[in-house]
Amino acid sequence: MIGKFATAIVGAALLAGCAADRDVVTEAPPQPTVTSAPVVGKPAPTPAATDPAPSLRVTGQLTQGGFIRGTASRGVRSVTLDGEPLRVADDGSFFAAFDRDADLDHTLVAIFANKRIERRIAITARDWDIERVNVARRPGGMTDAFWRIREPEWKRIVAARAEDTGATGWKQEFLWPATGRISGMFGSQRIYQGEPGSYHSGIDIAGGEGTTYVAPADGVVVLATPEPFSLEGYLLIIDHGNGLNSAFLHNSAILVREGETVKRGQPIGRIGASGRATGPHLHWSIKWRDARLDPILFTGPM
Ligand SMILES: [Zn+2]
């Protein structure tokens, strides 16, 4: 795993000098001058005299489960990744991420008043830990009885992850919430006689029951379950803003309340084995919009 991680870091470091990443800058075509048509809608803003030359800077972890952080110069009108609009903060910074199973070729486009900067973002494929086992997958599917319990839990998770709190932790370097042996890697998967099981959606950090862990980045608590959920146990979800959030599963105790603002490094919960867990550990997962991400790419090596 160390090798894989190093590759990802190198990939990111090379971004600035990658030939495939050269800006493709095209001037907007000249617009015909129309003097008699009525003015409809808002007039297009003209670039302020003080706006710098349009530019786009991007760094990140250019691999599946990774992310980009970028900054567009002042005067940017929009930034899209593969046609999907990204949220651009007042200082021009933005964030986007790549699902575990994301395609490898992406296109980032920034539109300015009279320039369009297009950049190809190539990410690397990961070599996931896939274990093929010669046993049948357990009869899948949820029973009606289980779904009656599960559906309201699932709806609360979906609603919490959709909350938009305006937190700005997405701009920060992330801390490890706890240190300890990593007992489960993000993305690992079992294949049962050719039939894939669901992959591991987070990273597991083994730790003693009751060990305190901290917020990896600033955020707002969007879910802190007062009673254990059937799978996640006591579940804590922190919104880091801009569509990025962290979930912490199997807590023995949650130390913060819904709506509370937390700071990077602040104690937020205690490790446990509540819900479906074989022993005390912290399962930490990160999502951006619908993409599942690898926490180790946010923190660097422990
Ligand atoms: Zn886990």
Side-chain angles (χ1 to χ4, degrees):
M1 182 54 216
I2 297 299
K4 274 182 246 167
F5 182 71
T7 305
I9 295 285
V10 169
L14 287 176
L15 173 60
C18 174
D21 189 53
R22 269 197 306 251
D23 289 356
V24 181
V25 180
T26 51
E27 298 291 337
Q31 299 298 311
T33 308
V34 179
T35 49
S36 56
V39 176
V40 178
K42 278 196 296 186
T46 47
T50 53
D51 278 355
S55 68
L56 187 60
R57 285 192 307 115
V58 182
T59 61
Q61 295 288 341
L62 301 184
T63 191
Q64 290 174 324
F67 59 89
I68 54 171
R69 289 193 177 108
T71 307
S73 57
R74 201 167 57 237
V76 68
R77 291 181 177 180
S78 69
V79 179
T80 59
L81 181 69
D82 304 325
E84 290 290 319
L86 303 180
R87 185 185 295 179
V88 182
D90 290 344
D91 62 0
S93 59
F94 58 88
F95 179 94
F98 308 103
D99 185 69
R100 185 246 198 201
D101 298 320
D103 293 338
L104 302 184
D105 283 307
H106 301 272
T107 306
L108 187 68
V109 174
I111 304 288
F112 299 84
N114 51 18
K115 267 205 167 67
R116 176 181 190 278
I117 300 180
E118 179 175 319
R119 194 168 287 191
R120 177 174 169 253
I121 306 281
I123 66 169
T124 57
R126 295 283 291 278
D127 184 13
W128 304 112
D129 183 9
I130 306 289
E131 185 187 7
R132 291 172 194 279
V133 292
N134 190 25
V135 296
R137 193 178 177 195
R138 267 184 304 179
M142 291 185 189
T143 62
D144 288 349
F146 182 65
W147 183 241
R148 275 195 292 278
I149 298 167
R150 185 59 185 160
E151 189 182 23
E153 295 176 351
W154 177 75
K155 283 183 169 168
R156 283 172 68 189
I157 294 169
V158 170
R161 284 195 131 139
E163 273 193 53
D164 180 5
T165 66
T168 55
W170 60 274
K171 295 183 180 184
Q172 298 176 317
E173 297 298 320
F174 278 40
L175 300 175
W176 281 99
T179 53
R181 184 174 61 86
I182 293 175
S183 54
M185 297 298 297
F186 172 82
S188 59
Q189 188 174 30
R190 273 189 180 169
I191 297 182
Y192 301 89
Q193 295 176 340
E195 192 191 343
S198 52
Y199 66 83
H200 190 225
S201 62
I203 195 162
D204 291 339
I205 306 166
E209 173 89 17
T211 303
T212 299
Y213 66 90
V214 302
D218 291 358
V220 174
V221 180
V222 290
L223 187 65
T225 64
E227 66 290 310
F229 277 9
S230 47
L231 301 178
E232 298 86 358
Y234 289 101
L235 170 62
L236 172 61
I237 301 182
I238 305 281
D239 176 46
H240 302 300
N242 210 343
L244 187 70
N245 53 69
S246 284
F248 305 93
L249 279 63
H250 311 307
N251 292 275
S252 59
I254 293 175
L255 305 177
V256 289
R257 271 182 278 195
E258 278 179 25
E260 191 174 334
T261 297
V262 299
K263 300 301 283 181
R264 180 175 178 263
Q266 176 183 335
I268 53 174
R270 296 194 206 283
I271 294 175
S274 59
R276 196 172 290 178
T278 52
H281 71 279
L282 180 64
H283 171 111
W284 173 30
S285 59
I286 302 182
K287 278 186 95 174
W288 177 72
R289 297 184 178 172
D290 290 328
R292 293 189 181 279
L293 311 177
D294 186 352
I296 208 169
L297 298 174
F298 284 77
T299 58
M302 194 185 281

